[in-house]
């Protein structure tokens, strides 16, 4: 593996590894690591860094839904055009064109059920090319972006200790 | 086989019964835990991993790695203005636990009286007993916020004792002592020529006043053994690393016991500890912040429920009064009916009777749920 691939793998594991951590683990020196990361970011290969949050543990309520979209295309409008409109909405967290029974898999996030359903009915459904939406509210997240979400019962400590 | 009297003398731990009930149940939220719910800082873990990769799998010097002793010495000098020579005044041990045991065995002769401020961590009385000494419980009182006073020391006859064990910030009460309060205890100790064992393992976990080490008072450094470790502040309980600091003749005596029992503290853990001291202070600050939020939450919830609880300012415990007369019955019913585990105060000595130890080394969400269950239980 090249240093660049190794860096990618490590940052996928934990984006908060410091330059020193990364240098130690790849055997490169810190300047090389810093330069390689800068390059990865500048080229757009790395788009950003985010926390993986277990919302079930937060005080704040967070509603997420997976929405299946079916579209009909005409001569002027392609998938990219529809996608281009949808990705502009901040409530849209991910949008993918998929094969199978429906065309797009959309992930929406909001502070309440009302907000999410309002967004789907008022912003998504009215898009002329969209013929059908099927909404699945996420009830429980067990794993997200490769990380298991704890349910609080994985406490490996003894229930009593001195 | 015959079991030694010294061992038979020690009753089984008072939390055994509860532990067995809890083990049988699902969905227990435990507030009975005396260890952080955080994981050791990554840099410390990585240093441990790196040391293994580099093949550092041999014994170290009996007293611990020289580099680590130097780092400890630097730390206590900047933090408490205490100066200990890494060569002959510091001993690295397998947890503060081993340090305490080694000190009891090195310093206590059969029949020596060792005063122990109670409620206290559960290992002191057995430690003294195993060494052949006579434990003398000194009951602190809630009306004094579980602090040790010269009045209490006099009333319990500590003037005639040989040694006194102090633990501030305290397990189980969460009490701390201010510099002025500690100065009075120091004066008493000096006047009556006592040896002091100061277990300061929670020193970095105070919420308000900074910790004052008794060894900083005039004439006290010569008569005090200070214990500390990485279990609590650095969330490194499983790595088993601690240290003791004392004048050279004491460390030398302790090292004699240590070298025949432990040879040296775990090498991997020493590398982790070295890195913890060098680069993990911001994690300690972060963990302390979170403990403090939880502390405030738990205290405010008990007050809403009308349960008396003095405002603990250290460690990660609060020590509320038990709403029922029978603390064991309360703890058992709460565990069985609501799945909330906490520890009856008498486990920490008779003076803990009537109280409960509640640990907040547990996530805010679980604490929220646990407090709601306690409220439901009280009806
Ligand atoms: C007051 C006190 N001293 C010592 C210890 C043991 O610490 P270590 O893990 O360093 O042996 C504990 C652990 O609960 C404690 O509460």
């Amino acid at each position: 593996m090249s240093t660049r691939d190794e860096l990618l793998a490590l940052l996928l594991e934990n984006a908060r590894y410091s330059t020193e951590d990364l240098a130690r683990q790849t055997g490169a020196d810190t300047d090389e690591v810093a330069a390689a990361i800068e390059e990865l970011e500048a080229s757009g290969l790395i788009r950003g860094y985010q926390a993986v949050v277990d919302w079930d543990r937060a005080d704040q309520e967070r509603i997420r839904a997976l929405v299946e979209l079916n579209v009909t295309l005409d001569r002027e409008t392609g998938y990219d055009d529809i996608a281009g409109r949808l990705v502009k909405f901040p409530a849209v967290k991910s949008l993918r064109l998929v094969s199978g029974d429906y065309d797009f898999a959309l992930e929406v996030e909001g502070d309440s059920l009302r907000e999410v359903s309002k967004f789907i009915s008022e912003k998504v459904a009215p898009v002329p090319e969209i013929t059908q939406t099927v909404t699945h509210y996420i009830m429980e997240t067990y794993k997200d972006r490769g990380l298991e979400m704890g349910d609080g019962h994985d406490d490996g400590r003894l229930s009593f200790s001195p | 086989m015959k079991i030694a009297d010294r061992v038979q003398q020690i009753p089984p731990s008072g939390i055994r019964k509860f532990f067995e009930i809890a083990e049988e149940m699902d969905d227990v939220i435990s507030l009975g835990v005396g260890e952080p719910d955080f994981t050791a800082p990554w840099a410390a873990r990585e240093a441990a991993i790196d040391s293994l990769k580099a093949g550092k799998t041999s014994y170290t010097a009996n007293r611990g790695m020289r580099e680590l002793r130097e780092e400890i010495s630097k730390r206590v000098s900047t933090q408490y203005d205490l100066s200990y020579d890494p060569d002959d005044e510091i001993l690295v041990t397998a947890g503060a636990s081993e340090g305490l045991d080694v000190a009891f065995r090195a310093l206590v002769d059969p029949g020596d009286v060792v005063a122990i401020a109670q409620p206290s961590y559960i290992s002191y009385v057995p430690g003294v007993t195993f060494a052949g000494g006579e434990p003398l419980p000194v009951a602190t009182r809630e009306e004094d916020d579980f602090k040790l006073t010269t009045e209490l020391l006099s009333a319990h006859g500590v003037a005639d004792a040989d040694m006194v064990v102090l633990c501030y910030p305290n397990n189980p009460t969460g009490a701390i002592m201010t510099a002025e309060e500690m100065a009075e205890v120091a004066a008493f100790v000096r006047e009556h020529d006592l040896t002091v064992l100061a277990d300061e393992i929670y020193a970095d976990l105070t919420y308000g006043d900074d910790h004052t080490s008794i060894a900083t008072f005039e004439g006290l450094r010569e008569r005090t053994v200070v214990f500390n470790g990485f279990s609590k502040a650095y969330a490194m309980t499983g790595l088993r690393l601690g240290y003791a600091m004392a004048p050279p003749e004491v460390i030398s005596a302790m090292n004699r016991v240590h070298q025949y029992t432990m040879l040296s503290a775990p090498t991997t853990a020493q590398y982790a500890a070295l890195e913890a001291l060098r680069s993990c202070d911001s994690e300690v600050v972060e963990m302390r912040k979170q403990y403090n939020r939880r502390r405030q939450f738990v205290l405010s919830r008990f007050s809403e429920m009308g349960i008396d609880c003095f405002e603990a300012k250290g460690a990660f415990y609060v020590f509320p009064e038990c709403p029922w007369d029978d603390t064991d019955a309360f703890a058992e019913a709460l565990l069985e009916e609501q799945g909330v585990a906490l520890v009856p105060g008498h486990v920490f000595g008779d003076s803990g009777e009537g109280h409960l130890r509640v640990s907040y080394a547990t996530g805010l969400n679980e604490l929220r749920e646990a407090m709601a269950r306690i409220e439901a239980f009280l009806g």
Side-chain angles (χ1 to χ4, degrees), chain B residues 24-40:
Chain B
E24 296 288 293
M25 298 175 59
D26 301 330
D27 192 29
V28 170
I29 302 181
S30 184
L31 310 181
V33 199
E35 65 173 313
D37 58 318
F38 299 106
T39 308

Side-chain angles (χ1 to χ4, degrees), chain B residues 28-352:
Chain B
V28 170
I29 302 181
S30 184
L31 310 181
V33 199
E35 65 173 313
D37 58 318
F38 299 106
T39 308
W42 171 242
R45 282 186 273 155
E46 200 182 36
I49 296 166
D50 286 349
S51 77
L52 288 172
K53 280 189 185 159
K56 311 281 190 193
T57 54
S58 318
Y59 296 130
T60 67
N62 292 132
R63 285 165 190 235
M65 280 158 39
R66 162 87 206 187
E67 252 181 311
L68 175 58
R69 281 180 279 134
E70 273 169 16
E71 205 65 39
I72 290 167
S73 170
K74 260 194 255 167
R75 166 59 55 109
V76 294
S77 94
T78 48
Q79 205 166 353
Y80 305 116
D81 206 16
L82 276 172
S83 139
Y84 285 97
D85 187 337
D87 278 334
D88 54 10
E89 295 186 315
I90 297 177
L91 177 67
V92 177
T93 54
S97 303
E98 194 231 340
L100 284 157
D101 176 55
V102 160
F104 288 133
R105 289 196 282 150
L107 304 177
V108 175
D109 275 319
D112 280 2
V113 175
V114 180
I116 298 169
Q118 284 193 337
S120 73
Y121 175 53
I122 60 175
S123 294
Y124 304 143
V125 169
V128 170
T129 308
F130 290 147
E134 299 288 336
L136 169 67
V138 179
T140 61
R141 301 175 300 196
E142 177 155 26
E143 57 261 41
D144 302 324
D145 288 348
F146 296 110
K147 293 166 194 270
L148 195 55
T149 62
T150 45
E151 183 202 339
L152 287 173
L153 288 166
S154 302
H156 287 82
V158 180
D160 298 324
D162 299 286
M163 183 183 282
V164 56
V165 182
L166 300 181
C167 174
Y168 292 96
N170 183 265
N171 175 6
T173 63
I176 63 169
M177 302 237 322
T178 64
E180 297 76 49
E181 292 158 349
M182 201 60 105
E184 287 185 20
V185 172
F188 182 96
V189 161
R190 206 167 42 228
E191 184 187 339
H192 299 288
D193 197 19
L194 303 174
T195 297
V196 180
L197 301 194
D199 182 349
E200 303 189 353
I201 191 136
Y202 293 102
D204 282 326
L205 300 180
T206 62
Y207 317 100
D209 288 341
D210 282 341
H211 173 67
T212 304
S213 176
I214 194 165
T216 53
F217 295 99
E218 203 202 319
L220 264 289
R221 192 187 175 285
E222 302 90 279
R223 55 179 72 252
T224 302
V225 188
V226 177
F227 301 86
N228 207 327
F230 296 85
S231 287
K232 311 295 171 169
Y234 294 98
M236 282 168 45
T237 46
L239 286 154
R240 311 303 310 126
L241 208 77
Y243 54 90
M245 300 180 296
E249 68 280 9
V250 174
I251 289 298
S252 161
M254 285 173 60
N255 190 35
R256 227 170 304 154
V257 181
H258 168 81
Q259 77 186 9
Y260 290 120
T261 39
M262 197 59 60
L263 297 176
S264 64
T267 303
T268 311
Q270 292 190 52
Y271 280 99
L274 182 61
E275 188 61 30
L277 287 173
R278 284 182 176 163
S279 76
C280 299
D281 288 341
S282 59
E283 277 96 332
V284 177
V285 170
E286 186 50 39
M287 290 190 271
R288 181 167 55 224
K289 245 191 252 169
Q290 300 214 30
Y291 287 134
N292 195 24
R293 278 173 54 200
R294 300 166 179 185
R295 180 185 69 100
Q296 288 160 346
F297 171 75
V298 170
L299 286 171
S300 68
R301 291 292 278 121
F302 277 129
S303 136
E304 278 166 23
M305 291 179 217
I307 292 183
D308 276 334
C309 184
F310 98 99
E311 193 176 332
K313 292 249 175 67
F316 35 60
Y317 312 102
V318 293
F319 205 58
E321 282 181 20
C322 182
W324 295 6
D325 285 341
D326 186 338
T327 44
D328 269 2
F330 179 87
E332 207 171 321
L334 179 66
L335 178 56
E336 280 176 343
E337 288 176 32
Q338 294 283 347
V340 175
L342 32 73
V343 186
H346 63 75
V347 164
F348 308 97
D350 292 342
S351 48

